[in-house]
Amino acid sequence: MNAYDSRKMADVLAPMGYNEVDEPEGADMIILNTCHIREKATEKVFSELGRLKKHKQDAEKEDRKVLMAVAGCVAQAEGDFIAERAPYVDMVFGPQSFGTLPEMVAEATGAYGKKRIINTDFEEEDKFDKLPEETIATGPTAFLAVQEGCDKFCTFCVVPYTRGGEYSRRPEAILDEVKALRDQGVREVSFLGQNVNAYHGLNADGETKSLAELMLMTAEIDGIERIRYTTSHPRDMQDDLIESHAHPKVMPYLHLPVQSGSNKILKAMNRKHERDLYFEIIEKFRKVRPDIAISGDFIIGFPGETDQDFEDTMDLVRQIKYSSAYSFKYSPRPGTTAAKMGGIIREDIKDARLQELQALLNQQMRDFNEQTIGKELPTLFDGTPREGQLYGRSPYNQAIYVTGHPRLDGQMDTVRITGTNGKSLMGELVLL
Ligand code: SAH
Ligand code: SF4
């Protein structure tokens, strides 16, 4: 979502004459787009700011002005603190307000006197109405926010506070954006949302469209060959979304976080479902697409997590068999209910549990990848990491490296998988 927001900021700034550069040296504006989800991400903001300040100071010696901005969820949550601690920052704005960047830049550089901008309001109107309809494509795959925010208030999570309440974009606006991306050579779209399967967009006829309906409408668009979506919540899972995976353009990949395999911890997290629901959902998906790749998120060391609770998580993982997953140590976040809970888990216990879980998940990823050796998989090439080498993704979202001509970049081709290093795949082009 942050990568998508950063692209949108570039789109908003393009008409003002700004274009993206690869490094901060010589830039006229530096925007640090930030994440508040865990403490580690937040800590990085201040160390990065300290580093970036130098570019502003160097420019001043040459009588050149550099605008410095902090955007994203840390800006939203800690705007005043940043303003106080980093006086060289000119603009602080949250993830809901970057549609007004042209106005903020005008004020911050104003002919009638410069103004420092602190903008952490939640806009009343549709944030997306302020953004340019067209995203500039950067390759054959494109991310597209369709839903934002969350009303679920899991006890560990800051998202409802930083991104605001749940909101779905209009289907027509999304489909127009997909067509515009298609016209720029995009073949794969990934629909984004904090709870993307809660999507319920109202169309011009006043009908509500589900994520599955949106994906099937997208599948009708010529030139779009692959559709993905992330991230889903078990509570919002509808049968029509599961069934949409029968469509050849809907990729056989599901990212469905469960966080914990213990019913007691799920309850304390306010996830509002038990582990059985998760098993039922995965079973339904596997009925529709037996080969579907399952991915998830886990939090280890939530307050009160006993050895048995952790063992329940390990048991769930053993049963599900993931193709990939993200796992994190619980990080107490300011303002959340869990941050006030007792039963804090010792750091060394968290470390040991995380290591054990990650060893299992890595083994499952290796097993999944090894199963694809010898198979011929349609691969969408999206980059040339080295001369003579192409990088692409399989339908199961595996990274694949092959030797091939750069003219194939952006194309879909069949690759025979020859090996894996556990994480990614090696293969060779099958010339039909
Ligand atoms: N809406 C999604 C997740 C969004 S946040 C869901 O409900 O599943 C992305 C991931 O960050 C979460 O799945 C969780 O695993 C992790 N995360 C969020 N808050 C965290 C915290 N306080 N400590 C550790 N991990 C956290
Ligand atoms: Fe955070 Fe996801 Fe829970 Fe919403 S559903 S509060 S985004 S973890």
Side-chain angles (χ1 to χ4, degrees):
M1 187 65 88
N2 264 20
Y4 171 84
D5 282 352
S6 296
R7 281 244 39 84
K8 276 287 173 193
M9 287 181 211
D11 294 341
V12 173
L13 290 167
M16 301 183 80
Y18 286 99
N19 50 37
E20 269 181 276
V21 287
D22 294 330
E23 50 198 35
E25 270 89 25
D28 298 310
M29 186 186 325
I30 300 172
I31 304 178
L32 195 61
N33 194 13
T34 62
C35 178
H36 197 54
I37 199 85
R38 285 178 297 279
E39 200 178 0
K40 219 164 153 188
T42 304
E43 277 168 0
K44 275 192 206 158
V45 174
F46 285 101
S47 56
E48 274 296 296
L49 272 178
R51 216 170 53 81
L52 291 168
K53 178 174 73 174
K54 180 180 159 290
H55 299 288
K56 184 170 174 139
Q57 289 164 340
D58 287 351
E60 269 161 15
K61 284 181 208 143
E62 296 165 15
D63 224 12
R64 202 164 54 79
K65 167 105 181 119
V66 173
L67 269 186
M68 262 183 78
V70 182
C73 290
V74 180
Q76 185 65 44
E78 296 182 9
D80 292 335
F81 185 56
I82 295 168
E84 196 188 300
R85 206 169 130 182
Y88 46 88
V89 169
D90 304 285
M91 302 189 286
V92 178
F93 52 91
Q96 298 304 313
S97 37
F98 61 79
T100 58
L101 253 175
E103 289 91 326
M104 291 192 265
V105 171
E107 282 187 53
T109 54
Y112 304 106
K114 290 178 224 110
K115 223 177 112 188
R116 205 164 180 223
I117 311 295
I118 313 289
N119 187 355
T120 50
D121 295 340
F122 283 119
E123 302 278 328
E124 285 289 306
E125 316 149 52
D126 185 344
K127 155 185 170 181
F128 293 94
D129 278 351
K130 290 224 178 74
L131 300 176
E133 291 261 308
E134 241 178 79
T135 308
I136 303 161
T138 51
T141 89
F143 291 114
L144 231 131
V146 301
Q147 180 279 333
E148 220 190 322
C150 181
D151 302 326
K152 289 204 167 56
F153 291 94
C154 297
T155 51
F156 54 81
C157 184
V158 289
V159 168
Y161 308 99
T162 56
R163 293 247 174 203
E166 194 199 299
Y167 170 79
S168 296
R169 282 177 73 193
R170 286 175 293 116
E172 292 91 342
I174 297 163
L175 295 172
D176 284 349
E177 202 173 334
V178 173
K179 285 180 198 146
L181 287 164
R182 184 267 322 266
D183 294 344
Q184 298 174 71
V186 165
R187 317 278 290 269
E188 173 182 280
V189 290
S190 268
F191 288 145
L192 299 180
Q194 269 82 29
N195 279 293
V196 74
N197 59 338
Y199 177 83
H200 57 283
L202 204 60
N203 74 8
D205 298 331
E207 300 156 338
T208 302
K209 297 289 173 195
S210 67
L211 179 65
E213 288 170 307
L214 180 70
M215 296 208 301
L216 296 177
M217 288 189 280
T218 306
E220 298 289 305
I221 299 174
D222 277 345
I224 296 297
E225 292 173 46
R226 290 179 159 191
I227 303 167
R228 302 183 186 276
Y229 57 94
T230 200
T231 287
S232 300
H233 192 291
R235 289 255 310 164
D236 293 318
M237 196 50 84
Q238 304 296 325
D239 286 343
D240 66 342
L241 183 61
I242 301 174
E243 278 145 26
S244 77
H245 278 261
H247 195 289
K249 288 189 180 181
V250 176
M251 289 296 98
Y253 173 85
L254 171 71
H255 182 244
L256 189 65
V258 66
Q259 316 299 355
S260 171
S262 150
N263 283 336
K264 183 191 97 192
I265 297 294
L266 287 171
K267 193 161 196 291
M269 286 176 164
N270 193 30
R271 295 290 289 180
K272 297 199 178 87
H273 73 84
E274 299 204 327
R275 59 188 255 141
D276 278 354
L277 178 76
Y278 193 79
F279 286 120
E280 279 162 30
I281 293 170
I282 300 297
E283 202 175 296
K284 282 189 191 169
F285 269 98
R286 286 191 162 139
K287 269 206 185 106
V288 177
R289 276 301 302 243
D291 60 334
I292 194 163
I294 309 290
S295 171
D297 291 353
F298 297 90
I299 296 178
I300 286 312
F302 187 81
E305 186 189 70
T306 60
D307 284 343
Q308 183 56 49
D309 295 320
F310 175 64
E311 184 44 44
D312 289 350
T313 300
M314 292 292 284
D315 173 70
L316 180 141
V317 172
R318 277 184 218 110
Q319 291 194 50
I320 296 292
K321 296 189 174 63
Y322 287 89
S323 69
S324 65
Y326 304 91
S327 45
F328 315 100
K329 280 194 283 181
Y330 166 70
S331 167
R333 307 307 293 127
T336 60
T337 313
K340 295 174 219 104
M341 286 180 184
I344 294 170
I345 306 301
R346 263 176 27 213
E347 210 55 26
D348 58 329
I349 296 178
K350 277 195 205 170
D351 283 332
R353 286 180 186 164
L354 188 68
Q355 234 177 37
E356 200 181 327
L357 174 66
Q358 289 187 340
L360 177 61
L361 290 168
N362 284 338
Q363 185 55 47
Q364 294 192 341
M365 176 162 67
R366 180 176 285 275
D367 292 346
F368 185 87
N369 286 336
E370 276 172 0
Q371 276 168 35
T372 48
I373 296 176
K375 290 207 169 119
E376 294 185 355
L377 301 179
T379 303
L380 181 60
F381 293 117
D382 186 10
T384 51
R386 268 192 267 140
E387 211 182 306
Q389 194 185 47
L390 290 162
Y391 162 83
R393 291 240 165 218
S394 78
Y396 309 108
N397 212 28
Q398 297 152 295
I400 302 182
Y401 295 89
V402 298
T403 304
H405 198 276
R407 80 183 137 74
L408 296 177
D409 193 13
Q411 301 297 313
M412 185 94 93
D413 266 289
T414 305
V415 169
R416 185 181 302 112
I417 306 304
T418 55
T420 175
N421 61 6
K423 260 183 147 169
S424 51
L425 302 176
M426 281 74 77
E428 54 197 23
L429 284 164
V430 178
L431 299 169
L432 300 171

